[in-house]
Amino acid sequence: MMTDKRNNPIWVMSSAFDRLALPELIDVTQHIGAQGIDLCVFRRDGTRQDHTATHLDYEQFTPDMAKRIVDDFNAAQLRLSLGAFENMIGGQPAERIKNQNHLLKLIRIAHLLGGDGNDVKVGTFVGYNHELGVQEGGFQKNLEEYKRVFAPIIRYAEDLGVTVLYENCPMEGWRPASFTSTYNNLPGVLAARKLMYALIPSKAHGEIYDPSHDVWQHTDPVDVIAQSDISRIHRVHVKATRNLQTKARIDWGGMYPMQLVNADLAGQAGVAIPASDWDRHHYEAMLPGFGGSDSMDWRAFVDLLTERGFDGPYEIENEAKNSKDTGNAVATIQGYQAAVRFLSPMLWDLDEITGYAHRGGRPLKQPDGRDVPVMTMDRL
């Protein structure tokens, strides 16, 4: 049957299932009705408290482990990628080196799992160096620091047949609310990503595009996709934002973060201040189709991606207030299932028996089993 749909798979991002072992995660993903998993593999000794899921043994990963994982995912008819999202160019110097070395480990693991041949990508943040950022020309200096750090990383990934992907979240709550700026991850705007590709032209890096982050920045994701190099977009996050019309938005405006000032003074003046480091931009994280409408046109967004030839997975990242943030396992799964049902008429053909259904995909190829040594930044 002829179709104008591309049969894009829908995946889950495993960050919401930090307490599940990999076999349990595979079972849950099948129950949700998704076709793949983006495995979070955060450092166990990392500094992040909001995301801690670690679904692979990154310290002792071997070719035999890769073979077993490929077998397990093929048996479940699922595909996979992996990632960890940390500050790679800023923060404490010792921590950033650990983050960089961890990314190199994930690139090696992706290679052992078949790399680009199996569409196993590695997701990461870039982060931001605020010591450079407060200087005159601070954004340019961050771009130059990005090139210094990532040029050898991307060259290493390219040599191993692996693509590194940046997510566009500005990480607005990553620093205490007492800091004025909420821009904490370099690729948080389209201009930065275009500049990054100009600095490092290699095709071994691209992006995981998350429309929700542009929505709270008052930028239409449809316009962003229209102006993007579609060959750089390998994954699309499924996460919604509902922009809130609150007193705080009127007090501080829609273009700037809410600032933290003395609480007694704020009370005397009747001015809203942040309740937490993340409570600064007057929005609610949601999943499309679960618990109300959000602030973007998903149909126009998906239609344009299809028109421009995007054939990668749509990855559901569940940070919804009424789903994952409830702490209720059933509500978390319901949110994922609702997002799958919401997307399926836009992505998949209608079958007389199964309704809107994914047509299936090719299995993962078994990697060749050859090992490569663990790499570190000081040896690149």
Side-chain angles (χ1 to χ4, degrees):
M1 179 174 60
M2 297 297 292
T3 177
D4 59 357
K5 299 178 183 177
R6 299 190 68 86
N7 196 44
N8 301 74
I10 299 173
W11 290 13
V12 303
M13 190 175 179
S14 71
S15 52
F17 299 113
D18 56 308
R19 298 183 181 180
L20 296 186
L22 184 55
E24 298 170 306
L25 178 60
I26 289 173
D27 289 343
V28 166
T29 301
Q30 291 178 299
H31 178 65
I32 289 168
Q35 291 80 47
I37 309 174
D38 197 342
L39 295 171
C40 288
V41 190
F42 285 96
R43 282 175 48 206
R44 293 189 180 91
D45 62 343
T47 58
R48 289 195 66 174
Q49 302 299 316
D50 52 341
H51 287 297
T52 58
T54 301
H55 287 112
L56 291 178
D57 183 1
Y58 58 85
E59 294 286 11
Q60 306 295 330
F61 200 85
T62 66
D64 285 342
M65 293 172 67
K67 183 179 185 305
R68 288 195 296 272
I69 288 171
V70 167
D71 285 341
D72 290 344
F73 272 74
N74 277 339
Q77 296 184 311
L78 298 175
R79 299 178 71 83
L80 77 155
S81 275
L82 57 147
F85 300 84
E86 306 279 4
N87 194 340
M88 308 291 290
I89 65 172
Q92 292 297 321
E95 286 299 311
R96 82 181 72 152
I97 292 297
K98 289 180 181 178
N99 292 336
Q100 293 163 11
N101 286 336
H102 185 69
L103 177 58
L104 295 177
K105 289 177 182 176
L106 298 191
I107 292 169
R108 171 184 172 269
I109 291 171
H111 167 74
L112 295 180
L113 287 165
D116 290 339
N118 276 334
D119 197 29
V120 180
K121 315 294 188 187
V122 177
T124 186
F125 286 152
V126 172
Y128 202 77
N129 187 310
H130 289 282
E131 289 72 25
L132 296 174
V134 296
Q135 300 173 22
E136 185 175 358
F139 198 86
Q140 176 66 39
K141 290 178 179 179
N142 265 271
L143 286 167
E144 291 164 1
E145 181 66 2
Y146 156 76
K147 181 179 180 181
R148 185 189 71 80
V149 170
F150 271 87
I153 292 174
I154 301 306
R155 185 166 57 247
Y156 172 69
E158 187 169 23
D159 289 345
L160 292 184
V162 173
T163 301
V164 173
L165 304 180
Y166 314 111
E167 190 192 339
N168 60 302
C169 179
M171 292 306 288
E172 61 276 16
W174 214 349
R175 301 174 92 206
S178 53
F179 286 91
T180 301
S181 174
T182 57
Y183 193 87
N184 300 312
N185 182 36
L186 183 63
V189 292
L190 177 59
R193 301 194 295 277
K194 290 181 175 180
L195 292 163
M196 288 159 60
Y197 301 138
L199 286 169
I200 306 176
S202 168
K203 288 296 186 181
H205 61 153
E207 53 195 90
I208 305 166
Y209 179 65
D210 187 327
S212 71
H213 305 306
D214 275 328
V215 171
W216 67 254
Q217 294 179 84
H218 312 288
T219 300
D220 189 341
V222 176
D223 294 336
V224 173
I225 293 301
Q227 296 298 323
S228 293
D229 179 350
I230 201 70
S231 71
R232 294 288 187 179
I233 300 177
H234 296 266
R235 306 282 187 264
V236 169
H237 271 182
V238 178
K239 186 172 64 181
T241 288
R242 182 180 178 88
N243 285 332
L244 304 176
Q245 302 304 315
T246 61
K247 180 180 183 300
R249 179 182 288 275
I250 297 169
D251 282 347
W252 294 101
M255 296 301 295
Y256 307 102
M258 195 185 338
Q259 302 295 339
L260 184 65
V261 299
N262 179 274
D264 291 338
L265 176 62
Q268 181 182 343
V271 169
I273 58 175
S276 70
D277 294 339
W278 290 95
D279 178 34
R280 304 189 70 186
H281 282 283
H282 331 298
Y283 71 87
E284 177 185 334
M286 300 180 65
L287 286 173
F290 191 67
S293 58
D294 59 80
S295 298
M296 70 171 276
D297 186 341
W298 281 92
R299 179 69 176 269
F301 177 69
V302 172
D303 283 353
L304 181 58
L305 281 164
T306 300
E307 178 185 323
R308 297 207 61 203
F310 175 70
D311 59 0
Y314 286 79
E315 298 181 347
I316 304 170
E317 183 182 18
N318 190 344
E319 295 180 347
K321 183 177 180 180
N322 61 3
S323 184
K324 187 261 185 180
D325 279 3
T326 66
N328 182 287
V330 177
T332 298
I333 291 172
Q334 286 175 329
Y336 279 107
Q337 291 172 323
V340 170
R341 294 190 180 102
F342 176 87
L343 286 171
S344 60
M346 293 181 258
L347 299 177
W348 304 337
D349 290 328
L350 180 62
D351 181 87
E352 292 184 2
I353 297 174
T354 58
Y356 292 103
H358 188 257
R359 299 194 298 274
R362 58 186 175 85
L364 297 165
K365 296 177 290 187
Q366 271 297 343
D368 61 25
R370 288 179 290 184
D371 201 359
V372 295
V374 174
M375 182 59 69
T376 55
M377 289 298 293
D378 60 352
R379 294 169 49 218
L380 275 182

